[in-house]
Amino acid sequence: MSVKSCEKLEKSMVALTVEVSAADFEAAVDKAYKKQRGSIRVPGFRPGKAPRKMIESMYGAGVFYEEAVNIALPDAYGAAVKEQELKVVGYPEVELLSVGKEGFSFKATVAVYPEVKLGQYKGLEAPKAEVKVTAADVNARLKEMAERNSRIVSVEDRAVKKGDIANIDFEGFLDGVPFDGGKSDSHDLEIGSGSFVPGFEDQVIGMEIGQEKDIDITFPEDYHADLAGKSVVFHVKLNAVKIKDVPALDDEFAKDVSEFDTLAELKKDVKAKLTQEREEAGKRAFEDIVMGKAAELMEADIPDAMVEEQARRYMENLRRQVQAQGLPFHQYMKMTNMDEEKLLEEARTPALGQVRMDLTIAAIVEAENLEATDEEVEAELAKMAGQYGMDVENMKKYMDAEVIREQVLRGKAVAVVADSAVAVKPAEEEKPKKKSKKDEEAPAGESAE
């Protein structure tokens, strides 16, 4: 193998012209003969026993050339890439230039990892809001906790009203004919949740247990194709009315849901946790902004192949998420009126942003000579193991150490940018409204009622 030329093209593409010698090609032709001789019929010989020269005399000297090229080309291409020290991206487009007894030559055009020129990445400015937790915030979190610890109880003596859970049987009819997916028995529907077609829940209000009713509904124009804009009738029967029995926010509640004896202690803990959550969220948001600025200021001739690969990664992630929820991907595509090409097209813009970010981080790692020690990798694995409730040795079975090493380096690169950045007060779009007493910050342990 010899590289005749290595030409740099636009968009970080490279064209390699490679020649494979007669000797190397002859070895590949012999391999092709041994691989294919069993399927070639020659009178007077059992399958696989005919000499190579006999086959070539009958079918032509180049009978094995195509397979020989397929055998030799990948190794020749790999050797050429290594010799030229290219960091290729994706698969090459290959053009066969010549082939014969003297060998063969080909041209491989492939994307390579682009050269990156960092712009400013230290001392960037970004808005960062002051973290505040009000009494109303604490109260909202306590109400969420109460909701999670509520019981569902049946009521017997009244009609359905907003906020109830109606247990219903229903079946939908289009032009008098039942349609797929339009029937369910003993379905619990929270009235006011907006989980059904607009207008359905409102018409369940006022129904009494045992009552049957026809509900007229027109599906939205953006509903999936089979029913978009169609008028249908749902036959509904109300089986039961249920309500949430939400516990009162008092000391007994605090004892039931936490390690604390009083509601005041629980409020103090909730405020501390909310503060920590918001500080971490604020930190991540600040990092996202400054890293986005650093990526915008970076210059690189990004090959289309990198963006396409990232876009396909996004689509595969979406496929896994949809299927994990028990919905076939083709059905999701039909419901959302999408196809693969449209999904990829929509993914290309965020994919380009992600590629720019990845290139920026890699360039910062190199510029700052950042390293990830074995101890840091081990510590990151231990942290992940704790998050998933696993021991470190089991975590190592699922996570590649090199992936974790890249994760540590990524974190260090982000820290270089974020730690040197300047936090500024967010611009106020309107004058702050006068705070009510309960919106003032709740002192630790003070009632949030």
Side-chain angles (χ1 to χ4, degrees):
M1 183 281 304
S2 63
V3 177
K4 292 304 177 183
S5 67
C6 181
E7 180 185 1
K8 290 186 178 181
L9 308 174
E10 291 181 349
K11 300 284 286 185
S12 297
M13 300 292 288
V14 167
L16 284 168
T17 302
V18 182
E19 286 187 355
V20 175
S21 68
D24 289 339
F25 186 51
E26 169 58 26
V29 170
D30 195 53
K31 288 181 181 178
Y33 156 69
K34 291 174 180 175
K35 180 179 178 180
Q36 294 183 325
R37 61 185 174 184
S39 61
I40 298 175
R41 300 291 180 181
V42 177
F45 293 92
R46 296 196 308 273
K49 298 300 182 179
R52 174 180 153 187
K53 288 185 178 180
M54 178 68 71
I55 297 173
E56 289 175 337
S57 67
M58 287 186 64
Y59 294 98
V63 63
F64 298 115
Y65 282 4
E66 182 178 351
E67 183 62 27
V69 169
N70 290 337
I71 290 170
L73 193 147
D75 289 341
Y77 168 73
V81 167
K82 186 176 181 180
E83 179 185 298
Q84 297 298 312
E85 298 181 343
L86 300 177
K87 190 175 181 182
V88 300
V89 178
Y91 297 100
E93 289 185 8
V94 177
E95 177 187 357
L96 190 63
L97 301 177
S98 65
V99 59
K101 280 190 173 182
E102 67 282 0
F104 71 94
S105 62
F106 64 91
K107 182 179 181 180
T109 305
V110 67
V112 295
Y113 199 85
E115 293 181 8
V116 177
K117 182 181 178 183
L118 285 170
Q120 180 185 354
Y121 64 91
K122 291 183 179 179
L124 296 168
E125 287 189 357
K128 189 175 185 181
E130 181 184 353
V131 172
K132 293 181 180 180
V133 176
T134 67
D137 296 329
V138 174
N139 216 29
R141 178 60 62 88
L142 288 170
K143 286 180 179 178
E144 290 173 8
M145 295 170 66
E147 285 283 338
R148 289 197 299 271
N149 286 274
S150 63
R151 296 181 305 121
I152 305 298
V153 296
S154 296
V155 293
E156 304 290 342
D157 56 350
R158 65 169 176 78
V160 177
K161 63 181 182 179
K162 191 171 182 179
D164 288 345
I165 297 170
N167 182 272
I168 57 174
D169 300 337
F170 65 86
E171 184 171 14
F173 297 87
L174 175 62
D175 296 330
V177 179
F179 57 84
D180 290 342
K183 182 177 180 179
S184 182
D185 292 331
S186 297
H187 182 89
D188 282 336
L189 172 63
E190 184 177 347
I191 306 302
S193 65
S195 56
F196 262 41
V197 183
F200 185 98
E201 294 171 24
D202 292 340
Q203 296 184 61
V204 175
I205 293 174
M207 289 184 67
E208 297 185 349
I209 297 172
Q211 181 182 349
E212 297 187 32
K213 179 180 180 180
D214 284 341
I215 291 177
D216 295 321
I217 290 293
T218 299
F219 280 97
E221 293 294 339
D222 58 355
Y223 206 72
H224 67 77
D226 293 343
L227 293 169
K230 300 287 180 64
S231 295
V232 302
V233 176
F234 281 97
H235 184 74
V236 180
K237 179 184 177 184
L238 179 65
N239 301 315
V241 180
K242 307 174 186 178
I243 60 171
K244 288 182 180 178
D245 182 18
V246 183
L249 296 178
D250 53 22
D251 290 346
E252 289 304 314
F253 171 76
K255 291 175 184 176
D256 288 341
V257 301
S258 71
E259 70 271 27
F260 302 108
D261 292 325
T262 67
L263 184 62
E265 290 175 304
L266 176 58
K267 286 179 177 178
K268 182 178 178 181
D269 181 68
V270 166
K271 184 182 180 184
K273 288 177 178 175
L274 275 172
T275 301
Q276 182 181 5
E277 287 173 14
R278 293 185 180 183
E279 285 175 347
E280 290 175 355
K283 179 185 176 186
R284 288 193 298 270
F286 182 72
E287 290 174 348
D288 288 346
I289 294 171
V290 293
M291 287 305 302
K293 286 188 173 184
E296 286 176 8
L297 296 169
M298 175 273 290
E299 295 179 13
D301 197 6
I302 299 173
D304 294 336
M306 290 187 79
V307 179
E308 189 72 14
E309 183 180 349
Q310 183 63 47
R312 289 193 176 279
R313 219 175 275 140
Y314 282 161
M315 192 176 73
E316 287 307 311
N317 287 341
L318 175 63
R319 187 192 304 274
R320 284 194 292 270
Q321 290 169 9
V322 169
Q323 291 175 341
Q325 294 173 8
L327 181 65
F329 193 62
H330 67 87
Q331 188 174 335
Y332 167 82
M333 299 273 272
K334 184 179 179 182
M335 289 170 61
T336 55
N337 196 26
M338 296 287 282
D339 56 42
E340 186 170 313
E341 187 50 46
K342 192 174 179 181
L343 275 177
L344 281 173
E345 185 60 36
E346 290 189 355
R348 284 187 181 103
T349 297
L352 175 59
Q354 185 61 56
V355 169
R356 288 189 66 87
M357 182 66 71
D358 292 342
L359 290 172
T360 300
I361 287 174
I364 292 172
V365 168
E366 184 177 354
E368 296 289 329
N369 295 314
L370 301 178
E371 294 182 352
T373 65
D374 291 342
E375 291 76 16
E376 288 169 331
V377 172
E378 196 73 17
E380 185 66 21
L381 276 166
K383 179 182 174 182
M384 292 179 67
Q387 291 172 344
Y388 288 98
M390 300 171 62
D391 61 62
V392 177
E393 293 307 313
N394 275 336
M395 180 58 71
K396 288 179 179 178
K397 296 176 183 177
Y398 298 98
M399 296 298 299
D400 189 329
E402 287 310 305
V403 173
I404 301 299
R405 193 176 301 277
E406 289 297 319
Q407 192 169 306
V408 172
L409 284 172
R410 192 179 186 90
K412 287 189 172 186
V414 171
V416 167
V417 178
D419 292 348
S420 67
V422 179
V424 296
K425 192 174 182 180
E428 293 182 358
E429 296 182 355
E430 58 181 3
K431 291 183 179 179
K433 295 178 181 178
K434 186 177 180 181
K435 293 181 179 179
S436 65
K437 186 174 181 181
K438 81 170 190 174
D439 283 334
E440 295 295 333
E441 284 196 71
E446 182 182 303
S447 172
E449 293 293 342

